[in-house]
Amino acid sequence: MSDPYSVLGVPRTASEDDIRKAFRKLAKKHHPDLNPGDKAAEAKFKEISQANDLLSDVEKRRRFDAGEIDDTGQEMPPRGFYRDQAGGPGGAKYAHAGGHESFVDMGGIFSEMFGERRGFGGGPGGGFDIGGMPVTYSLRVPFLVAARGGKQRVTLPDGKTLDIDVPEGTSDGQTLRLKGQGMPGTQGRPAGDAYVEIHVEPHAFFETRDNDIHVELPVTVTEAALGGKIRVPTVGGAVMLNVPAASNTGTSLRLKGRGLLDRKSGQRGDQYVKLKVTLPEQPDEKLKEFLEKWEAGRAYDPRKAMEQFT
């Protein structure tokens, strides 16, 4: 069992803001989109995402700190739980998986509770006629799969795999119902349903606010000064954006209808592009020479308006 606080590098007294900042810093470093083909970075990203899912939820964090759930959000068995010592039919012990009761054991439990031990049906195989119990799972979904829709594979406790259809515009925390994929019923009754809670992984540069998407876009000095059309990534693919001449860092431009689908209204949000003027990574002597000549006699003070506040 890992410690989510250690994974994010924060103390147990960390505030919600501290946790959010720590996660975003680590996510930008280890995000698979920024480390293509790096399995170690992919594994680390999943680990920090899981830690953030737990600690960013006030109730889950409280329960983890109290020892009620583990680092994956699964229930911890109470100490001294009677089934640790109890025997199953024929003297067999109950099966456990990772410290928790296995889902596949539940059918036997209910058969025993309502059948053999209560005397219903008169013996093995007879029993109380009940439908299958529901089960719940958590599933991590890449940001673009949730935004665009697609299939995501989940492995059930019995080893069976399912390809789940993730609807376009699926939001973080949304629960999908899988009919008949829960515990099997007794006496031929139908199986219960499975409920999958979706956890959408953060993207390397897309940030969601309701159904709108915000992205910070680097532009060159030339693009900012002279303007022009540039390619901008969106969840639906790259589009062309017209950058006005004399744009500054912080200039925000809107791409209408390029946000996420609102499944209730059927409407799409917008994408907001905040420009960030970026100099070349390597020194450019010609650019330096040009700016030195240009500035001569054209000095201006972009911080002049701040003087009134000091």
Side-chain angles (χ1 to χ4, degrees), residues 8-25 52 55 61:
L8 294 182
V10 296
R12 287 184 172 268
T13 57
S15 66
E16 292 182 24
D17 190 51
D18 291 335
I19 291 171
R20 182 168 54 253
K21 288 180 179 178
F23 170 69
R24 290 189 66 82
K25 180 179 179 181
N52 180 67
L55 296 184
R61 181 180 179 182

Side-chain angles (χ1 to χ4, degrees), residues 10-143:
V10 296
R12 287 184 172 268
T13 57
S15 66
E16 292 182 24
D17 190 51
D18 291 335
I19 291 171
R20 182 168 54 253
K21 288 180 179 178
F23 170 69
R24 290 189 66 82
K25 180 179 179 181
L26 291 170
K28 288 183 178 180
K29 179 180 180 182
H30 298 288
H31 198 287
D33 290 349
L34 301 179
N35 300 275
D38 189 336
K39 295 298 183 182
E42 181 179 348
K44 183 64 176 177
F45 180 75
K46 290 182 178 179
E47 184 181 30
I48 61 177
S49 295
Q50 180 173 294
N52 180 67
D53 285 344
L54 192 149
L55 296 184
S56 62
D57 186 303
V58 175
E59 178 60 14
K60 287 183 180 179
R61 181 180 179 182
R62 181 197 67 75
R63 298 193 67 203
F64 174 79
D65 290 343
E68 297 174 5
I69 59 174
D70 64 15
D71 62 308
T72 67
Q74 299 299 313
E75 298 287 339
M76 294 286 284
R79 293 188 178 184
F81 193 43
Y82 83 94
R83 285 183 57 211
D84 287 346
Q85 303 300 326
K93 294 292 184 180
Y94 285 100
H96 291 263
H100 307 286
E101 291 75 25
S102 170
F103 283 117
V104 296
D105 186 43
M106 295 298 289
I109 295 171
F110 281 92
S111 175
E112 178 185 335
M113 288 175 61
F114 299 110
E116 292 170 18
R117 287 200 176 180
R118 295 258 183 115
F120 298 136
F128 197 75
D129 189 8
I130 61 173
M133 297 294 291
V135 294
T136 59
Y137 307 99
S138 292
L139 178 65
R140 298 183 184 282
V141 175
F143 179 90

Side-chain angles (χ1 to χ4, degrees), residues 131-308:
M133 297 294 291
V135 294
T136 59
Y137 307 99
S138 292
L139 178 65
R140 298 183 184 282
V141 175
F143 179 90
L144 291 179
V145 173
R148 300 170 177 170
K151 290 187 179 295
Q152 192 72 10
R153 178 161 295 184
V154 61
T155 302
L156 304 181
D158 61 2
K160 183 173 67 174
T161 59
L162 288 176
D163 288 326
I164 298 177
D165 286 315
V166 179
E168 181 183 2
T170 296
S171 58
D172 187 66
Q174 183 174 337
T175 298
L176 304 180
R177 177 191 177 197
L178 305 180
K179 187 174 178 58
Q181 296 299 331
M183 296 303 305
T186 63
Q187 302 294 321
R189 291 293 295 274
D193 297 333
Y195 295 88
V196 182
E197 183 179 5
I198 301 296
H199 295 281
V200 180
E201 296 178 342
H203 195 267
F205 47 82
F206 290 133
E207 179 181 346
T208 58
R209 300 177 193 172
D210 295 326
N211 291 311
D212 294 330
I213 290 179
H214 293 253
V215 61
E216 186 177 71
L217 185 72
V219 294
T220 68
V221 174
T222 303
E223 290 167 339
L226 303 182
K229 290 186 177 294
I230 59 175
R231 285 171 59 85
V232 179
T234 74
V235 294
V239 299
M240 301 304 294
L241 173 67
N242 185 48
V243 176
S247 292
N248 273 313
T249 290
T251 296
S252 183
L253 306 172
R254 184 177 72 151
L255 291 170
K256 186 174 177 59
R258 290 291 176 173
L260 301 176
L261 175 68
D262 184 332
R263 297 191 56 78
K264 292 183 179 180
S265 67
Q267 302 296 312
R268 293 185 182 278
D270 300 326
Q271 177 166 313
Y272 292 89
V273 181
K274 181 184 289 186
L275 303 182
K276 180 181 179 182
V277 181
T278 306
L279 292 172
E281 293 184 2
Q282 300 297 327
D284 188 320
E285 292 301 323
K286 290 186 177 181
L287 177 60
K288 179 181 177 181
E289 180 181 349
F290 167 78
L291 291 176
E292 287 175 345
K293 291 180 178 179
W294 176 86
E295 189 176 20
R298 296 185 179 85
Y300 69 100
D301 186 359
R303 296 170 293 279
K304 186 176 181 179
M306 300 175 66
E307 295 178 358
Q308 60 180 309

